[in-house]
Amino acid sequence: MDESGHDHKNMPFEVRGGVALSTSKLWSFIQGWRRLEQECFGTVLAAYGKEAKGHKLLDKDRFKWAAQRSRMEDGERRKLARSFLERGLAKLPQTSETFCAYGQASLEMARGIFDLLSGHDAKVFASLIPRGVRPPLEFASEDLLRKDHVFLLERFYYFLDAAKSHGILVMDETEKASDARFVKRLEGYFERTATGRNRAAWIVPSPLFVASDMSYAIQAADVCLYCINWGYRLTTWGAHEARAELAEEFGPKISRLRWRGKGSRGGESFDSDGIVLVRDPYESRT
């Protein structure tokens, strides 16, 4: 799991979500990721203190750099992309060729991540709220899990229930105080609410925290959430700011990976979607 747009500055939404990946396929996924980095950049990014995160692979500048010339041959791109990283460490000026190669390598890496997720039967889950949504002045439930987060766990529960499989929440370690507050809300939900106790039948209620540079799966989640924030839109959501280059290429990739299945409430079954927009997470549910 990861989050996107929580600084409430430039991103259209605040998004929390992630990718569901079977532990039986995790090692194969890790091996595939390492091969992908070598194929794209000619090296491992961690050796240069870099991560394959959404804003680093799919920033507007990466598209501009990549478009400076036609697609490079793989060997040439790898050589120049590696040179870009080496020059960066040595604080040497870049050339137009190294900029272009690194831009093309970044886009290839992002495309490869989606192929890797699809090849390992991963599913995407996310809950969104519009940027700038704030709690009402009289709001006095800071210790309660917010509605959009409840909906996210609900979808994950439906997925696990259908598969009759337990799920562990592995989260990006960000800021300790913020992480502690979120864990407190999670624990309250799973321990003190009837719905949460029911969800704990399949969701392990205590999350694990790891640094994103230690988990390729968290980096994959970050890329997916970045693409959802800027490029995935449903007509029922209304008009929201988007980047055309992400919407055209990566929006369909998200759509193919998102979980869709059945939910149930009050004994009735209904269609459920793994990506949900909650316009006001503080509004009472009706």
Side-chain angles (χ1 to χ4, degrees):
M1 294 181 68
D2 205 350
E3 58 187 33
S4 170
H6 282 59
D7 60 358
H8 305 124
K9 292 181 180 179
N10 302 313
M11 309 290 274
F13 297 101
E14 178 184 322
V15 186
R16 188 182 288 273
V19 295
L21 183 65
S22 171
T23 54
S24 66
K25 299 181 180 182
L26 183 57
W27 178 235
S28 173
F29 179 83
I30 291 170
Q31 291 175 305
W33 185 287
R34 290 173 177 170
R35 287 193 298 269
L36 181 61
E37 283 194 352
Q38 290 283 355
E39 291 167 2
C40 293
F41 298 98
T43 187
V44 177
L45 291 174
Y48 298 88
K50 301 286 187 180
E51 295 179 58
K53 304 192 80 170
H55 73 280
K56 296 181 178 181
L57 297 180
L58 295 169
D59 181 81
K60 290 180 180 180
D61 285 342
R62 303 299 183 269
F63 282 88
K64 292 177 182 177
W65 297 353
Q68 290 179 19
R69 53 175 284 190
S70 58
R71 189 181 187 278
M72 294 181 178
E73 293 293 329
D74 292 344
E76 181 186 16
R77 184 195 66 245
R78 284 191 285 265
K79 178 182 177 181
L80 289 169
R82 190 167 60 249
S83 176
F84 179 94
L85 292 166
E86 291 168 352
R87 285 172 175 267
L89 275 184
K91 302 189 184 307
L92 295 174
Q94 302 289 348
T95 68
S96 60
E97 286 187 325
T98 59
F99 272 121
C100 181
Y102 194 75
Q104 292 190 11
S106 296
L107 298 187
E108 286 300 309
M109 183 71 192
R111 294 167 181 138
I113 288 170
F114 279 97
D115 291 340
L116 201 57
L117 288 169
S118 179
H120 288 78
D121 299 318
K123 294 298 179 185
V124 169
F125 295 82
S127 60
L128 304 81
I129 65 172
R131 181 182 65 206
V133 172
R134 293 288 186 273
L137 292 176
E138 68 276 11
F139 186 72
S141 302
E142 284 294 333
D143 290 337
L144 297 181
L145 195 63
R146 216 168 60 190
K147 185 166 67 173
D148 52 314
H149 300 156
V150 171
F151 284 2
L152 176 65
L153 293 173
E154 177 185 65
R155 269 65 172 180
F156 187 42
Y157 170 80
Y158 292 151
F159 166 73
L160 295 172
D161 186 45
K164 303 304 177 191
S165 174
H166 290 93
I168 299 173
L169 303 175
V170 182
M171 305 181 69
D172 184 15
E173 187 178 60
T174 53
E175 192 270 320
K176 285 190 176 181
S178 177
D179 290 341
R181 286 193 296 270
F182 186 69
V183 168
K184 184 178 180 181
R185 294 179 189 126
L186 273 179
E187 289 176 344
Y189 171 73
F190 282 117
E191 294 174 4
R192 296 197 297 271
T193 71
T195 301
R197 289 192 293 270
N198 180 58
R199 302 283 188 253
W202 292 119
I203 303 174
V204 177
S206 183
L208 302 177
F209 285 88
V210 298
S212 61
D213 61 353
M214 299 294 290
S215 172
Y216 295 132
I218 285 182
Q219 291 179 50
D222 182 277
V223 172
C224 289
L225 298 190
Y226 186 86
C227 289
I228 290 170
N229 213 327
W230 278 116
Y232 179 78
R233 301 290 183 267
L234 294 178
T235 54
T236 54
W237 292 1
H240 292 279
E241 181 185 4
R243 284 173 49 195
E245 69 275 22
L246 290 182
E248 291 170 7
E249 180 173 0
F250 293 94
K253 294 180 187 294
I254 290 291
S255 184
R256 287 191 290 271
L257 282 175
R258 84 185 197 272
W259 173 80
R260 282 168 285 185
K262 290 292 184 180
S264 62
R265 191 177 297 117
E268 295 187 7
S269 179
F270 54 87
D271 293 331
S272 186
D273 195 311
I275 301 178
V276 56
L277 171 64
V278 180
R279 301 184 191 281
D280 185 352
Y282 304 103
E283 183 181 40
S284 298
R285 182 172 174 178
T286 57

